[in-house]
Each structure stands twice: as structure tokens, then as C-alpha cells.
């Protein structure tokens, strides 16, 4: 249904053309909200270990087809100076089972719960999708954004 709505917004709008930006903005917000709600439901009905195993499996499957995050470390800082760092250890890391996202602040270290795991995985996937095309050289044989790619759409 959302893809039909996007398709309609991408086509000729006639008299409603000036409303397109606001409608597209609303659709993007609703899509993000839908993803967060689906992750919250998944986290509520599934054990964290299963969520971690499934997201790690999905990341491994995608690594054969598209750019993916191998490891990551992200530090968020508040204006007062407090920080929290989230880390996705690379496969084979000795400190944690592959796929677990851990976090650390000034006083505590922990492991992401199911909803944190899902939301951070989605964010990392978005970053890989956006940055992946920059890994390809002009002379590479493969096209980093094939026409049927669900990750990039071109609207004229």
C-alpha cells in the first residue's frame, strides 16, 4: 500500500503538485514510525538472543549481495559532556558473540535489549546502503545501484 502511494506521488500531480512535498514528508515520517512500531512488537514477542541471531544472520546473508556493516562504533555525546558508545563487534571478535550490540557509558557497560538491537541494526543498514556505492570504482564490473534495487529510487 505504501509503495502504491509513493508511486502515485511520483507521477503527475496536476493541480495538487504544490502539495507533493508535504505529502511525501508525511509518508516518510509514517514509514519510519511503522518500522519503529514493528520493531517494538518484534522485541516484545521474541527473546533477545533470537533477535540477535536473526539480525546477525540477515546481515551475513546481505553481505553476499550488498554493502553491509562489518563492525561499528558510535559515540553519542550530550551537551554536558556525558557520552554513550554503542559497538557492533566484527564476526569472530573475542569479546562478544557476533551480532551483539553492546553499549558503554562513563559508569556502566551493557548489552542492547531487543528493541535497541533492532533499531541500531536498521540504522547501520541505512548507513551501509548510503555509503556502499562509494566503495565501487568506476571500472568495477558491477553496478552498485541496480535498477531494481529497493534501496535507491530515482524520481524525475
Amino acid at each position: 500500500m505504501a509503495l502504491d502511494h509513493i508511486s502515485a506521488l511520483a507521477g503527475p500531480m496536476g493541480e495538487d503538485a504544490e502539495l507533493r512535498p508535504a505529502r511525501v514528508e508525511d509518508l516518510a515520517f509514517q514509514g519510519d514510525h511503522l518500522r519503529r512500531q514493528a520493531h517494538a512488537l518484534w522485541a516484545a514477542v521474541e527473546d533477545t538472543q533470537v533477535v540477535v541471531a536473526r539480525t546477525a544472520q540477515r546481515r551475513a546473508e546481505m553481505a553476499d549481495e550488498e554493502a553491509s556493516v562489518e563492525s561499528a562504533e558510535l559515540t553519542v555525546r550530550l551537551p554536558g559532556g556525558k557520552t554513550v558508545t554503542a559497538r557492533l563487534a566484527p564476526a569472530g571478535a573475542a569479546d562478544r558473540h557476533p551480532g551483539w550490540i553492546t553499549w558503554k557509558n562513563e559508569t556502566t557497560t551493557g548489552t542492547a535489549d531487543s528493541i535497541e538491537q533492532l533499531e541500531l541494526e536498521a540504522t547501520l543498514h541505512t548507513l551501509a546502503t548510503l555509503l556502499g556505492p562509494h566503495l565501487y570504482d568506476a571500472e568495477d564490473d558491477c553496478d552498485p545501484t541496480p535498477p531494481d534495487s529497493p534501496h535507491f529510487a530515482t524520481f524525475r
Side-chain angles (χ1 to χ4, degrees):
M1 187 164 87
L3 293 177
D4 291 339
H5 197 65
I6 289 171
S7 180
L9 287 171
M13 296 283 295
E15 296 175 9
D16 293 335
E18 71 277 354
L19 300 175
R20 184 187 319 222
R23 289 181 178 168
V24 172
E25 178 185 358
D26 288 345
L27 185 60
F29 177 78
Q30 291 169 8
D32 191 50
H33 181 72
L34 177 64
R35 179 192 45 78
R36 286 192 316 270
Q37 292 301 311
H39 281 168
L41 179 58
W42 187 8
V45 300
E46 189 66 85
D47 181 71
T48 301
Q49 289 184 325
V50 175
V51 168
V52 170
R54 182 63 190 122
T55 56
Q57 177 187 3
R58 181 173 288 176
R59 190 178 340 99
E61 290 167 356
M62 290 186 321
D64 291 337
E65 300 174 12
E66 58 188 71
S68 64
V69 173
E70 183 175 290
S71 65
E73 188 168 298
L74 173 69
T75 300
V76 176
R77 181 183 175 278
L78 291 176
K82 284 184 166 183
T83 62
V84 62
T85 300
R87 181 172 187 261
L88 171 64
D95 62 336
R96 200 40 120 168
H97 184 281
W100 281 94
I101 295 175
T102 58
W103 57 266
K104 177 181 173 183
N105 62 27
E106 285 83 3
T107 59
T108 311
T109 300
T111 303
D113 62 20
S114 293
I115 188 68
E116 292 168 334
Q117 183 81 23
L118 291 166
E119 288 295 302
L120 287 166
E121 284 278 353
T123 300
L124 294 173
H125 179 72
T126 298
L127 290 171
T129 300
L130 292 172
L131 296 174
H134 298 289
L135 294 171
Y136 294 92
D137 294 327
E139 60 272 356
D140 281 346
D141 287 338
C142 61
D143 179 1
T145 55
D148 60 346
S149 172
H151 306 293
F152 292 100
T154 302
F155 298 107
R156 291 177 176 73

